[in-house]
Amino acid sequence: MTLDLYFDYVIFPLLTISVILIFIRLFKGPEVVDRVIALDLIITVGIALITAYSIRSGQAILLDVAMILALIAFLGTIAFSFYLDKKG
């Protein structure tokens, strides 16, 4: 099995299934914290998809996009935790 087939038949379907499950948690989450964690996980899986596609296609510029998304996700999580700290 080549690396391209492995990406097509194993990695991308697993990441797609995980995004679907995370969206279910996003909509069903009983509390705001569950929804924020689900959004953070969606961004993390998006970073994994971008990275896998970058490796598969050989375009290294997409890794810069993945790093920027990781920074935005990190700052969003910090901002939300700061909001919860001030609220409580």
Side-chain angles (χ1 to χ4, degrees), residues 27-64:
F27 293 127
K28 282 181 74 173
E31 295 183 14
V32 178
V33 177
D34 295 328
R35 291 186 172 107
V36 170
I37 290 172
L39 282 173
D40 196 36
L41 274 174
I42 287 172
I43 293 173
T44 303
V45 173
I47 291 167
L49 279 168
I50 290 171
T51 304
Y53 182 74
S54 172
I55 293 170
R56 188 184 186 287
S57 66
Q59 296 178 354
I61 193 73
L62 293 175
L63 294 176
D64 295 337

Side-chain angles (χ1 to χ4, degrees), residues 12-26:
F12 288 132
L14 283 176
L15 290 173
T16 305
I17 290 169
S18 67
V19 166
I20 292 169
L21 292 174
I22 293 168
F23 268 115
I24 291 171
R25 173 50 58 196
L26 178 68

